[in-house]
Amino acid sequence: MTLSHAEYQAIAAMLTPNGQAFIDGQFCDAADGDRFETTNPATGQILAEVAHCKAADVDRAVAAARRVFNEGTWSRAEPEERKEVLLKVAQLVREHTHELAVLESLDTGKTINDCIDEIGGEVPNFFQWYAELADKTFGKIAPTGPGAMALITKEPAGIAGAVLPWNFPLVMAAWKIAPSLAVGCSAVIKPAEQTPLSTIRLAELMREAGVPDGVINIVPGFGETAGKAIGLHNDIDTVSFTGSTEVGRMFMRYSGDSNLKGVGLEMGGKSPFIVLEDARLNDDLIEHAAMSAFWNGGQNCSANMRQLIAAPLVEEFTGRIIERVKGFTLGDPLNPATDIGSMISKDHKELVMNYIQSGVADGAQMTMGGDSDLPGYFVEPTVFQGVTPEMKIAREEIFGPVLGIMSMKTAEEALTVASDTDYGLHATVFTQDIDRALHMTRSLPCGTVSVNGFSEGDIKTPFGGYKQSGSLARDNGTEALEQYLQTKTIWVQTATD
Ligand code: NAD
């Protein structure tokens, strides 16, 4: 249920966010007592002092996780037991939706409506879906002759590390925690330094739900400190990372330089939104085009920021999308009337503004948007037309509200331009021709292609990238479980007489 602006402000005024680490079932400071501040990017207000965890804290968290893993209280519990506890986590998140959503909105600058959708829906649904898989994940029996029985069994990988981004903090935490705990792993989680608060609060709810001490550990800190310590730890068995391609590369190196832990990577994108000549250019298409680009202020890995439009439609498309985007309200993220909140930080706003300047310098036509004079780190939704494939704004991930429209002469040209990128996370195609739709979906080198609507899929469908958008690992769906499972073959010689 949506509340009023005043009601959200009242919840915000009551919050006293906890910034401590959570290790072995206890909230605690970093071993050296170091802290950093987390602020509200929409106002600059300091929200909390947060424990700055380093290698010593990661060591403590991993030791606790290993102890409980070896004891077997969670890893070898009846799967129904893990299911019950994770269902309780889902229930507690639902009961605390408004509080968690306000906390998330304050820490990220995301709109309260998005936070309510994510925390009232996706986050508890994840815990519920993976809870229900806990007692439905089976191995196989391979066919053999009568002299043997071959069991292919699945075991929890052990200690799962996760290093998270700031753009969907609690959703990303749920994406990693729910499947890893469902199969019996213990976890050590590092939220992004910009947005640790909702994940710390989640740990408290998980303890209340009955997750045993040591099974879930939260080590807030920076990439160079806590993140690197997770990547290099010799007793973490698998690490799941979501963030930039640049840092994803480091996790591959960390693994090679330490214990060759499994590495699952979900990274950046520069995803195309393709409108073929036969598409119906109606309000629905325009809504999908606008939301695919400006949802979460464009701070979304699957944002469709390259919009490749058939030449005969490009003028009408551009006019209509500008009209739609002018309808977005930028402002106080806690106001339910706001459509686009703040960028995550001053540095990130500067980065986005530099891209806007490069678009102008490269000769693209900025039809609307640019800097905002609101206090905080706001950027107006920005639309460029006349973008060409070699421009920097067409090639690099901007991670802000900057949409580039390109005119395409043919469907094959759209396919070539769409594919000419190091990324491969997502693509959308609009066409009424089933043959062209199937040709496009099969030809585009990316992890998700949606047709006649922008969608990342849902819990049931795997999400991840081709090329430099990801490793072979996937989040979501039953595929996510593979990141947290080992496969063991048990070969039993049997008597034949
Ligand atoms: P980032 O790579 O800078 O940071 C992500 C995490 O890595 C943070 O927790 C950070 O502290 C940590 N980190 C940074 N440097 C590190 C280091 N040297 N060693 C270990 N850890 C380190 O990314 P970001 O700015 O938080 O997030 C934005 C990026 O995430 C974008 O590129 C976006 O596309 C991507 N993303 C991808 C997905 C997906 O599922 N594919 C989802 C959300 C975001």
Side-chain angles (χ1 to χ4, degrees):
M1 186 189 61
T2 311
L3 304 180
S4 67
H5 189 191
E7 286 168 316
Y8 288 126
Q9 285 172 317
I11 295 173
M14 306 257 301
L15 289 177
T16 47
N18 180 359
Q20 287 187 295
F22 185 76
I23 298 176
D24 205 5
Q26 303 299 319
F27 285 100
C28 58
D29 294 326
D32 64 3
D34 198 8
R35 292 181 192 170
F36 63 96
E37 288 169 350
T38 183
T39 55
N40 177 346
T43 63
Q45 178 205 355
I46 297 167
L47 297 169
E49 292 214 319
V50 180
H52 181 174
C53 291
K54 310 203 176 71
D57 306 290
V58 172
D59 283 347
R60 269 196 303 148
V62 174
R66 177 60 68 190
R67 188 204 68 241
V68 69
F69 186 81
N70 288 348
E71 285 167 2
T73 30
W74 184 260
S75 57
R76 292 193 298 277
E78 295 293 332
E80 290 80 0
E81 217 175 287
R82 291 199 297 271
K83 174 164 89 172
E84 282 311 309
V85 172
L86 293 175
L87 286 174
K88 179 81 177 155
V89 174
Q91 181 196 331
L92 287 174
V93 171
R94 288 195 180 102
E95 285 170 12
H96 291 80
T97 295
H98 286 121
E99 174 212 330
L100 281 164
V102 169
L103 188 62
E104 191 84 314
S105 176
L106 294 175
D107 211 13
T108 57
K110 286 163 77 83
T111 67
I112 189 67
N113 292 341
D114 280 353
C115 295
I116 292 281
D117 282 352
E118 289 162 19
I119 292 167
E122 194 170 349
V123 172
N125 293 348
F126 259 83
F127 279 101
Q128 182 172 331
W129 200 77
Y130 285 102
E132 286 165 353
L133 275 182
D135 59 355
K136 298 173 192 69
T137 303
F138 289 72
K140 297 189 278 195
I141 299 177
T144 56
M149 179 174 281
L151 311 178
I152 301 166
T153 63
K154 295 287 178 183
E155 298 184 346
I159 312 306
V163 176
L164 307 178
W166 44 259
N167 57 344
F168 293 90
L170 207 59
V171 170
M172 291 296 123
W175 280 25
K176 314 291 187 190
I177 295 172
S180 59
L181 264 59
V183 298
C185 288
S186 304
V188 177
I189 311 290
K190 190 197 91 60
E193 53 271 33
Q194 300 87 345
T195 57
L197 298 179
S198 56
T199 307
I200 294 171
R201 179 72 177 109
L202 174 68
E204 207 171 350
L205 297 178
M206 293 184 74
R207 180 170 68 180
E208 189 181 332
V211 175
D213 292 354
V215 169
I216 180 77
N217 302 276
I218 313 295
V219 285
F222 289 80
E224 273 297 320
T225 53
K228 187 172 176 180
I230 288 176
L232 284 171
H233 205 289
N234 279 314
D235 203 24
I236 288 181
D237 300 286
T238 182
V239 68
S240 186
F241 167 79
T242 295
S244 60
T245 297
E246 186 192 349
V247 177
R249 280 181 216 288
M250 293 182 195
F251 276 90
M252 289 279 192
R253 288 192 208 109
Y254 295 152
S255 172
D257 289 344
S258 58
N259 61 342
L260 294 173
K261 60 180 66 61
V263 179
L265 303 175
E266 305 289 346
M267 301 175 290
K270 189 73 186 175
S271 301
F273 183 98
I274 301 168
V275 178
L276 300 183
E277 195 178 339
D278 65 87
R280 258 191 226 109
L281 188 43
N282 55 19
D283 288 350
D284 182 60
L285 185 153
I286 294 297
E287 192 62 20
H288 279 278
M291 294 315 296
S292 76
F294 295 109
W295 166 40
N296 206 36
Q299 300 172 121
N300 178 15
C301 52
S302 64
N304 285 185
M305 287 307 190
R306 295 186 293 151
Q307 304 209 337
L308 314 183
I309 313 300
L313 304 181
V314 78
E315 194 180 331
E316 184 186 348
F317 175 87
T318 305
R320 289 180 69 174
I321 192 111
I322 289 170
E323 194 185 322
R324 173 64 187 96
V325 175
K326 279 185 179 153
F328 284 134
T329 307
L330 195 70
D332 180 357
L334 277 189
N335 186 341
T338 296
D339 299 303
I340 299 183
S342 163
M343 297 288 97
I344 188 66
S345 65
K346 181 167 182 284
D347 287 351
H348 192 61
K349 173 173 173 170
E350 275 170 21
L351 189 97
V352 173
M353 291 307 303
N354 284 340
Y355 275 112
I356 292 176
Q357 279 148 21
S358 99
V360 173
D362 283 349
Q365 189 192 342
M366 190 172 116
T367 52
M368 62 174 293
D371 201 356
S372 156
D373 46 19
L374 288 171
Y377 309 125
F378 292 85
V379 175
E380 294 281 351
T382 301
V383 178
F384 278 100
Q385 64 183 87
V387 175
T388 52
E390 73 289 352
M391 289 179 184
K392 195 169 157 181
I393 57 166
R395 304 205 70 80
E396 296 183 14
E397 182 181 46
I398 300 174
F399 225 57
V402 185
L403 164 61
I405 299 173
M406 301 190 217
S407 177
M408 295 290 124
K409 290 194 192 68
T410 63
E412 285 310 306
E413 184 189 9
L415 185 55
T416 304
V417 171
S419 308
D420 178 24
T421 166
D422 290 336
Y423 292 117
L425 192 56
H426 186 277
T428 304
V429 181
F430 271 78
T431 174
Q432 294 185 71
D433 181 333
I434 183 73
D435 292 330
R436 290 171 114 189
L438 289 176
H439 173 59
M440 285 296 207
T441 55
R442 288 181 175 151
S443 306
L444 284 161
C446 54
T448 300
V449 186
S450 65
V451 177
N452 290 337
F454 166 75
S455 172
E456 288 185 350
D458 67 14
I459 296 175
K460 303 180 288 298
T461 58
F463 183 76
Y466 283 29
K467 300 200 265 183
Q468 294 180 33
S469 288
S471 57
L472 293 177
R474 292 290 180 267
D475 283 325
N476 306 352
T478 53
E479 284 77 0
L481 299 175
E482 296 300 327
Q483 289 194 57
Y484 308 105
L485 286 168
Q486 269 288 13
T487 302
K488 179 180 281 177
T489 297
I490 301 176
W491 183 274
V492 184
Q493 211 69 36
T494 54
T496 48
D497 52 352

